[in-house]
Amino acid sequence: MGSANGLTNGRGGHPLFSFGVITDVQYADIPNGHSFLGVPRFYRHSMLVLQRAVKSWNNNKNLNFAIHFGDIVDGKCPKDQSLNAVKKVVDEFENFKGPVYHMIGNHCLYNLPRDKLLPLLKIPNLDGGRAYYEFSPAPGYRFVVLDGYDISAIGWPHDHPKTLEALKFLRERNPNSDKNSPNGLEGLDRRFLMFNGAVGEEQMEWLDSVLRDATNMKQKVVVCCHLSLDPGASSQEPLLWNYDEVMDVIHRYDCVKVCLAGHDHEGGHSIDSHGIHHRVLEAALECPPGTDA
């Protein structure tokens, strides 16, 4: 990023700090397969991609932390193997010689409920199952990790108020019996799918307070979420249900410089109307053998 966005020191363009990123590892000990669009997926190879990433991060010797943008294992992972599969991938991340931060994605929640998943991922602030938090890796900077499945039909108990709210939301916006089907939905309405989710009211208030505090402290902020927050950076289907409401909060302040996401495996980049960079990272899962994310 250029220094105009405040992410370099302005004296020759050297980074103020560096960190490792990877997303959508979606490991499973199963044969290779394809997405519903026919894109090849390499379930076992993704572990090798992660191992090489961690080795690269350690060889760098200059990284403040590493962060994974969700979907640590794949939904096709046999359910009797889910717990051990998550532990196996987390152990690989633990080989990084520095802090590692995780967020939840839809495939994580296909495998394990929140109460089992979040402790494995060492996600702080587990009050009531919440999976959003913040951290400061360097003076003057703050990272905000959103829970894009706060309001979701997956991950919460079937009778949980957030599950019921999500199912009602989908019924009102997606007429298909298969709520993961975008058939008949047009434009941005194609995001109203069950494998997505929304940021709830309590989290939205938390986000506003964090950004207000960061502004008062003159900090620059990077917002992280498994789901994309800008239509220009991804296709329509992987967007957060209420990305527009989240961006309305973010745009109240000048502190946010970058929004990072996973979920849309092809990746993408955009700059929104307020000059915020949106970068969607490519999936480790879809790297052919011998290649890296």
Side-chain angles (χ1 to χ4, degrees), residues 26-36 39 41 43 73-82 107 110-111 285:
Q26 289 183 225
Y27 168 75
D29 188 13
I30 58 175
N32 296 338
H34 294 82
S35 72
F36 63 92
V39 178
R41 291 184 163 180
Y43 299 105
V73 292
D74 194 84
K76 292 184 178 179
C77 178
K79 294 301 168 277
D80 61 344
Q81 298 178 21
S82 292
H107 283 265
Y110 297 152
N111 281 274
L285 172 67

Side-chain angles (χ1 to χ4, degrees), residues 60-110:
N60 185 282
K61 297 180 180 175
N62 206 24
L63 302 185
N64 293 58
F65 64 95
I67 184 167
H68 177 238
F69 280 78
D71 283 357
I72 195 166
V73 292
D74 194 84
K76 292 184 178 179
C77 178
K79 294 301 168 277
D80 61 344
Q81 298 178 21
S82 292
L83 184 62
N84 285 334
V86 172
K87 288 180 178 178
K88 184 175 180 179
V89 185
V90 168
D91 285 346
E92 291 297 335
F93 275 104
E94 292 298 315
N95 288 326
F96 172 59
K97 298 171 183 175
V100 178
Y101 299 94
H102 294 277
M103 64 198 77
I104 56 173
N106 50 309
H107 283 265
C108 306
L109 297 171
Y110 297 152

Side-chain angles (χ1 to χ4, degrees), residues 234-249:
S234 73
S235 52
Q236 295 149 340
E237 291 84 357
L239 286 162
L240 187 79
W241 288 343
N242 60 340
Y243 78 88
D244 47 349
E245 295 176 359
V246 171
M247 291 310 302
D248 282 345
V249 172

Side-chain angles (χ1 to χ4, degrees), residues 186-225:
E186 296 184 0
L188 293 173
D189 286 353
R190 292 176 68 84
R191 73 187 188 275
F192 298 131
L193 305 172
M194 190 176 282
F195 60 65
N196 295 332
V199 167
E201 184 176 345
E202 182 180 336
Q203 185 179 176
M204 203 82 77
E205 292 174 355
W206 170 85
L207 174 62
D208 184 78
S209 68
V210 169
L211 297 184
R212 187 185 315 118
D213 185 57
T215 299
N216 292 337
M217 295 179 67
K218 301 190 182 327
Q219 291 176 315
K220 295 178 175 65
V221 176
V222 177
V223 173
C224 304
C225 185

Side-chain angles (χ1 to χ4, degrees), residues 106-224:
N106 50 309
H107 283 265
C108 306
L109 297 171
Y110 297 152
N111 281 274
L112 293 173
R114 282 174 176 258
D115 59 348
K116 287 188 170 57
L117 181 66
L118 299 189
L120 290 174
L121 300 181
K122 297 183 173 67
I123 293 178
N125 299 326
L126 303 184
D127 179 31
R130 56 181 277 185
Y132 51 92
Y133 60 98
E134 55 164 314
F135 63 95
S136 179
Y141 285 83
R142 191 182 300 201
F143 276 62
V144 173
V145 177
L146 298 179
D147 178 358
Y149 293 90
D150 185 5
I151 307 299
S152 171
I154 51 177
W156 298 104
H158 294 305
D159 58 351
H160 195 282
K162 293 191 176 186
T163 305
L164 301 177
E165 181 179 349
L167 290 172
K168 179 176 183 291
F169 182 95
L170 285 170
R171 283 195 301 270
E172 293 171 350
R173 291 164 177 82
N174 186 335
N176 297 305
S177 57
D178 176 7
K179 299 304 181 189
N180 274 328
S181 170
N183 289 343
L185 301 178
E186 296 184 0
L188 293 173
D189 286 353
R190 292 176 68 84
R191 73 187 188 275
F192 298 131
L193 305 172
M194 190 176 282
F195 60 65
N196 295 332
V199 167
E201 184 176 345
E202 182 180 336
Q203 185 179 176
M204 203 82 77
E205 292 174 355
W206 170 85
L207 174 62
D208 184 78
S209 68
V210 169
L211 297 184
R212 187 185 315 118
D213 185 57
T215 299
N216 292 337
M217 295 179 67
K218 301 190 182 327
Q219 291 176 315
K220 295 178 175 65
V221 176
V222 177
V223 173
C224 304

